[in-house]
Amino acid sequence: MKVLILTHGTRGDVQPYAALALALKRAGHDAVLAAPAAMAGLATPHGIAFAPVHDGPNTLVDDPGLRQAIETNYRGLRGKKIALRVMRRTKPLMAAVFGDMADVVVDGAGQGADLVVHAPGVPGRHLAERLGVPAVLATLQPVWVPTAAFRNPMLPLPLPRALNRASYFPVRLMLRSFGGIVDDLRERLELPRRRGRHDILRRPDGGPATVLQGFSPHLLPGEPDYPAWVHTTGFWFLPAPPGWTPPAKLAAFLADGPAPVYVGFGSMAGTDPARVGRVVAQAVRLSGVRAVLASGWGGMRVENLPEGVFPLEQAPHDWLFPRMAAIVHHGGSGTTGAALAAGRPQVICPFVADQPFWAARAHAAGIAVPPQPQRRLTPDALAAAIRLAATDPRPAATAADLGSRVRAEDGTGRAVAILESLS
């Protein structure tokens, strides 16, 4: 097959789709990954065909409004006003992304695709309709397919169980806010304004679309009553690039003492990343552990590193995490899955969106200590959480056991088999 994979977002959003493209390539298929131009480094080392598109909302990473949104998690009236401002800034940027993706299909690397796999927020089903091929929705969070087992993780409000299914409607409605630019795109593609064109869970003929969920069912509460066309495959992990070796200074640091604790929040940052950096530095000092500190795209800024702390730009998680005593992170699905696959206990400090859900689920599964929300983060509380995760044998044993089961899921392998069944 030739499979076109369309996605967008930051590194954590794009990397699992690169893993799926690599699995398709290794299975003998042609895979093209269309993603933000800045993410080419995820594809090139693995020989994955890459179609760059506009970086879109990623260009707002330092925007004060976006940082406020992350800090507030859109809570209260102020949070809703911030959400509207961010959405107004985002729309023209997403229109540029959609236009570039259309170019990939009409006269670019996506021509001749037999199948389109797409993230929820991009126009994959419309581009597949133009090509006359099936579209497969691929999600990294359990927020798009309704279930009675639990409320939508994107909604931070407690709800009666009877409203669990209804709680998924507002998030799908959020996509409708891009309906205007989607209809403009369909006009460019010479597609009709048919009924149901904005429903990501439906094919053009009205039947259900195949859905791949790239996370582990082991972390979901209860037994979700997903229909047969929804497949929860396990996490999608991108391995270290061929021939990758750790920097000599990192290897020397790891060999020079007990296993350190990893601390990294990726691109997640509120309005004061320096405050987050100060809290982390003090917590590491108080906890008495060695640490590897990954500053990411601004999730924290640390000016005075304590002794026994190694500053890291980046390293493949599948190599780094198994060498850590514990993993402190923001709770994105990809990092949660990578820490779980490494079999290491976690301290999750969630910011926004689905991160509080993964933090709560990891704690409920016994692989993480109680969550430490960013808005309430203090040096003493974080230090206590780090000590507990790094020294208590119970979360370590549970994480090792569950990690072995997650690794056995072979999420990308299962996803490829499902895609092959559609050809």
Side-chain angles (χ1 to χ4, degrees):
M1 297 185 297
K2 180 174 182 178
V3 181
L4 174 61
I5 301 175
L6 300 165
T7 187
H8 210 275
T10 61
R11 183 185 183 94
D13 301 310
V14 174
Q15 186 162 310
Y17 296 92
L20 179 59
L22 179 60
L24 284 161
K25 181 175 179 286
R26 288 178 171 176
H29 304 291
D30 293 330
V32 177
L33 177 67
M39 300 298 156
L42 292 172
T44 304
H46 296 282
I48 299 168
F50 185 76
V53 301
H54 195 284
D55 285 309
N58 288 358
T59 60
L60 299 178
V61 67
D62 291 321
D63 183 84
L66 184 60
R67 288 181 176 271
Q68 280 186 314
I70 292 171
E71 192 167 85
T72 63
N73 197 9
Y74 305 113
R75 291 186 305 275
L77 181 61
R78 176 170 172 258
K80 303 304 181 290
K81 289 180 178 178
I82 292 170
L84 290 174
R85 287 203 302 270
V86 169
M87 191 168 291
R88 282 196 294 268
R89 293 287 307 278
T90 298
K91 276 188 177 181
L93 294 170
M94 287 307 296
V97 172
F98 288 10
D100 283 358
M101 288 184 172
D103 290 340
V104 170
V105 165
V106 174
D107 55 13
Q111 291 183 90
D114 303 298
L115 191 66
V116 173
V117 178
H118 65 97
V122 301
R125 62 197 181 281
H126 308 289
L127 299 176
E129 189 176 346
R130 164 62 186 261
L131 291 171
V133 301
V136 174
L137 176 65
T139 75
L140 305 179
Q141 301 90 10
V143 305
W144 303 102
V145 182
T147 174
F150 53 90
R151 64 171 167 79
N152 193 315
M154 290 290 196
L155 297 184
L157 303 174
L159 293 172
R161 183 180 176 87
L163 295 180
N164 279 349
R165 281 189 174 277
S167 70
Y168 290 79
F169 179 72
V171 176
R172 289 173 61 189
L173 189 63
M174 179 185 67
L175 291 184
R176 292 293 298 273
S177 65
F178 295 99
I181 59 176
V182 167
D183 283 340
D184 289 344
L185 177 72
R186 288 182 65 85
E187 184 175 342
R188 174 187 166 185
L189 297 173
E190 299 179 342
L191 296 173
R193 290 199 174 194
R194 60 171 177 78
R195 183 176 181 182
R197 64 190 180 278
H198 296 297
D199 189 345
I200 63 171
L201 299 181
R202 293 290 164 185
R203 303 192 305 257
D205 65 4
T210 300
V211 179
L212 299 179
Q213 298 193 131
F215 46 82
S216 175
H218 288 300
L219 286 186
L220 298 182
E223 294 290 335
D225 49 344
Y226 291 131
W229 40 271
V230 176
H231 308 272
T232 307
T233 64
F235 290 102
W236 301 340
F237 301 120
L238 184 69
W244 184 88
T245 57
K249 289 183 179 180
L250 173 60
F253 176 79
L254 295 178
D256 194 35
V261 169
Y262 170 92
V263 186
F265 300 138
S267 59
M268 290 290 105
T271 55
D272 192 356
R275 182 196 73 84
V276 176
R278 288 193 299 271
V279 169
V280 167
Q282 292 175 44
V284 168
R285 190 181 298 112
L286 289 170
S287 63
V289 300
R290 298 188 338 129
V292 170
L293 203 63
S295 58
W297 285 2
M300 59 181 153
R301 187 166 63 247
V302 182
E303 296 174 354
N304 298 308
L305 289 176
E307 186 178 352
V309 173
F310 185 88
L312 180 69
E313 288 189 11
Q314 64 177 15
H317 288 169
D318 67 322
W319 182 91
L320 183 66
F321 282 5
R323 292 168 168 79
M324 300 293 105
I327 313 295
V328 182
H329 63 98
H330 57 293
S333 64
T335 311
T336 302
L340 177 53
R344 308 312 302 143
Q346 305 179 40
V347 179
I348 303 182
C349 308
F351 284 85
V352 71
D354 61 319
Q355 296 165 10
F357 172 81
W358 294 119
R361 294 312 307 155
H363 177 52
I367 61 173
V369 300
Q372 305 292 311
Q374 287 280 342
R375 67 182 184 276
R376 298 199 298 267
L377 205 59
T378 66
D380 288 337
L382 182 56
I386 290 173
R387 281 195 299 268
L388 182 62
T391 61
D392 190 332
R394 290 171 296 181
T398 303
D401 175 63
L402 189 54
S404 66
R405 285 184 275 162
V406 164
R407 291 192 298 274
E409 287 175 334
D410 184 19
T412 54
R414 291 182 63 191
V416 168
I418 292 162
L419 295 177
E420 288 174 336
S421 73
L422 300 177
S423 64

